[in-house]
Amino acid sequence: MKKISFLLNGEKKEFEIDPNERLLGLLRRNGYKGTKYGCLEGACGTCTVIMDGKAVDSCMVFAFQAEGREITTIESLDKENEPHEIQKALIEEGAVQCGYCTPGIVLSAKAMFDENPTPDDETIKIQMDGNFCRCTGYEKIWSAMKKISAKHRGDKK
Amino acid sequence: MRIKDFVFARKVSEAYSHLKENGESAYLLAGGTSTFFVKSKTQKVAIDISRLPIKGISKKRKTFKIGALTTIDEILNYKESGWVLNKVALRFVNQQMRNISTIGGNISRVFYWSDFPVVLLALDGKLKITDSKTRNVNISETFKTMSAHKDAFKNSILEFIEIPQLVSDMGFGYSKERRTSGAFSSATTAAFVKINKGMIKDARLALGAVVPFPVRLFDIEKELMGKQADISTVEKINYDSLDKIKFVPRENMTLDYCRHLIKVKIKDVICEALNQAIGGGK
């Protein structure tokens, strides 16, 4: 076992890790279970976290790669009765059904909007192409993203 | 493949020292996604090189210099006239993978589905490699002695990749066949052409995914040289030379279908490159 430390949801944390351990496993065994197990091969996006401002699949990142970096998980948005604007938009558009993929989608969207508050439709499709949803058919997810982008642009519609 | 230990390198010289120190167990890693696909009986010591100052894209005269640690996302979002790798980056797996995978990793461990090796063959990319000394090599030369799934630059570090800026009279075409948007390539083709007074002055074609390792299609290139830069030349291409290639059909393709698909794709990418060259390299 070796020690690493990184900023997790704004707090400096230290962890003992097995060198072969993935970030997904490390987060979940430390109670950050909003990061979901999915395909474990970087295809489905359900284990998405934000690393230094970029959405990444935590199943594809070794835990040691997080050393000295800033990691954001879905738990960072956990404020009772105060959903994040992305969560709000997904609910309003009916873009959540079973909900298993939702944490990953929220974090991919957060990374996108943090970098560019007003993405166009094409950018939304490119930036969100790493998250599978087997319930909603994607249209409602995209319309939630478009709604947020329009809100940031100040569109009245 | 199993990682038994890890170290961090912040300078190229430091990374090289770790490489030497760990010998056969050493495993250079930046994005780290290839570790899923590399098979090794020996446990490895990961040398995390993601913090080395060899990232970013710069333009110098008529070439682009790309740091090996430049992510595919940075390649997608780089905006400059004559930059064509964004076409390739757009078709690269998905956003999460574009955010972490690097162009250096895509070249250093070549799998049949790797996108950039095929493209860099067509663009005649140059590589800057460091071991005990620094040297510049041509990608075509390097690939002659390489095989799939192995470390391309064993005991050395790929620092930079150089490709031409496409100016007027130059064109680039690229095609990646895949079953779904995130799937591995089942056929990759890329073409570069340079025209002069309506004639093809230079042509390079490369093929990947349906072959064990990316290859240049020299015979077809020769056929194009000196010919009129239009569709009639493309229609007259003789594909007999493809018989010499050992195809490995993917995704349950039959060998006949695979050959036919490649002929169609070669035509497509040459036409795309010619159109761009005729239109002024935009």
Side-chain angles (χ1 to χ4, degrees):
Chain A
M1 299 292 268
K2 271 182 104 169
K3 274 187 183 163
I4 59 158
S5 67
F6 55 88
L7 269 186
L8 180 57
N9 298 333
E11 270 180 67
K12 193 169 181 188
K13 300 262 185 184
E14 203 174 87
F15 298 102
E16 280 214 329
I17 59 158
D18 177 300
N20 203 49
E21 186 171 20
R22 299 279 164 167
L23 182 59
L24 170 61
L26 171 71
L27 291 171
R28 287 186 61 87
R29 79 177 163 81
N30 282 283
Y32 294 84
K33 293 193 173 174
T35 309
K36 303 295 183 200
Y37 275 114
C39 65
L40 301 179
E41 56 179 34
C44 75
T46 194
C47 66
T48 300
V49 297
I50 302 174
M51 184 159 84
D52 287 350
K54 296 281 184 185
V56 297
D57 292 314
S58 58
C59 70
M60 296 298 282
V61 176
F62 284 103
F64 70 79
Q65 290 179 274
E67 164 69 24
R69 302 200 185 272
E70 194 175 343
I71 305 290
T72 304
T73 69
I74 194 69
E75 284 81 6
S76 69
L77 306 182
D78 183 18
K79 292 190 182 105
E80 213 175 328
N81 297 323
E82 214 185 301
H84 188 276
E85 66 170 349
I86 298 165
Q87 293 168 314
K88 227 186 264 182
L90 288 169
I91 295 164
E92 283 167 8
E93 292 300 304
V96 178
Q97 285 184 31
C98 85
Y100 197 78
C101 68
T102 309
I105 287 173
V106 171
L107 288 172
S108 286
K110 186 176 183 319
M112 171 176 70
F113 286 116
D114 285 350
E115 197 171 309
N116 172 12
T118 58
D120 58 23
D121 293 4
E122 184 63 21
T123 307
I124 290 170
K125 282 199 178 173
I126 293 171
Q127 295 276 320
M128 299 299 297
D129 70 353
N131 290 86
F132 287 0
C133 172
R134 295 307 188 209
C135 302
T136 65
Y138 302 102
E139 286 297 335
K140 290 174 184 218
I141 296 167
W142 292 333
S143 66
M145 302 303 136
K146 287 178 199 171
K147 196 175 171 178
I148 299 166
S149 185
K151 193 180 120 193
H152 290 172
R153 276 197 307 269
D155 290 359
K156 294 277 183 269
K157 285 190 278 185
Chain B
M1 191 188 79
R2 200 174 158 78
I3 304 289
K4 65 174 178 183
D5 200 2
F6 56 87
V7 287
F8 299 99
R10 285 182 166 77
K11 288 182 199 160
V12 174
S13 57
E14 222 176 288
Y16 181 60
S17 301
H18 286 308
L19 263 181
K20 277 210 307 194
E21 199 178 303
N22 290 289
E24 283 298 306
S25 306
Y27 189 85
L28 287 177
L29 170 152
T33 53
S34 66
T35 48
F36 260 89
F37 310 106
V38 173
K39 291 190 173 47
S40 169
K41 282 176 190 161
T42 51
Q43 297 197 5
K44 300 283 186 183
V45 175
I47 304 164
D48 186 333
I49 56 167
S50 60
R51 291 154 179 91
L52 296 187
I54 47 172
K55 51 182 86 177
I57 307 161
S58 57
K59 201 181 93 178
K60 199 178 168 190
R61 292 188 195 98
K62 286 181 178 169
T63 57
F64 292 108
K65 187 179 173 191
I66 311 155
L69 299 180
T70 306
T71 65
I72 311 304
D73 181 60
E74 288 164 324
I75 288 170
L76 175 65
N77 291 302
Y78 184 71
K79 307 266 186 286
E80 186 65 62
S81 149
W83 174 249
V84 292
L85 293 189
N86 53 337
K87 287 184 190 179
V88 186
L90 184 61
R91 294 181 178 90
F92 190 94
V93 200
N94 60 38
Q95 189 56 42
Q96 282 87 331
M97 296 293 267
R98 286 191 288 270
N99 282 338
I100 196 159
S101 301
T102 63
I103 186 168
N106 205 252
I107 303 165
S108 298
R109 291 187 188 96
V110 178
F111 301 100
Y112 77 78
W113 58 79
S114 300
D115 304 316
F116 286 93
V118 182
V119 172
L120 294 177
L121 275 176
L123 291 172
D124 200 24
K126 311 276 185 296
L127 310 172
K128 185 182 167 191
I129 295 167
T130 296
D131 39 41
S132 53
K133 54 181 192 263
T134 298
R135 60 190 196 277
N136 293 304
V137 292
N138 186 296
I139 197 159
S140 298
E141 287 304 310
T142 313
F143 278 12
K144 271 184 194 167
T145 53
M146 273 174 64
S147 57
H149 292 238
K150 296 267 166 59
D151 276 4
F153 313 107
K154 213 172 175 204
N155 302 326
S156 50
I157 295 155
L158 169 65
E159 287 193 58
F160 293 97
I161 299 121
E162 222 174 70
I163 58 162
Q165 175 191 19
L166 265 66
V167 291
S168 69
D169 299 338
M170 289 181 184
F172 171 74
Y174 173 68
S175 165
K176 176 180 178 178
E177 281 296 301
R178 55 198 172 157
R179 269 183 147 176
T180 60
S181 63
F184 292 136
S185 177
S186 44
T188 310
T189 36
F192 167 86
V193 294
K194 187 168 191 245
I195 61 170
N196 186 19
K197 293 175 185 161
M199 309 299 271
I200 300 172
K201 201 180 156 199
D202 198 1
R204 284 190 297 271
L205 276 169
L207 179 65
V210 287
V211 281
F213 200 79
V215 287
R216 282 268 298 272
L217 302 173
F218 292 108
D219 291 331
I220 300 178
E221 289 173 9
K222 267 184 220 156
E223 273 196 61
L224 294 169
M225 304 282 248
K227 303 269 172 61
Q228 197 109 22
D230 63 24
I231 187 77
S232 65
T233 300
V234 184
E235 293 293 352
K236 283 179 213 151
I237 293 174
N238 182 334
Y239 292 99
D240 288 351
S241 58
L242 291 182
D243 294 341
K244 288 186 256 173
I245 292 174
K246 186 188 169 236
F247 283 106
V248 184
R250 310 287 176 189
E251 305 283 4
N252 298 324
M253 287 180 201
T254 63
L255 188 58
D256 277 352
Y257 178 84
C258 180
R259 277 203 186 113
H260 181 74
L261 176 71
I262 291 308
K263 285 177 192 171
V264 172
K265 290 293 151 190
I266 289 171
K267 266 188 194 175
D268 282 355
V269 292
I270 298 171
C271 284
E272 188 185 343
L274 284 175
N275 276 336
Q276 189 182 5
I278 293 161
K282 296 270 161 54

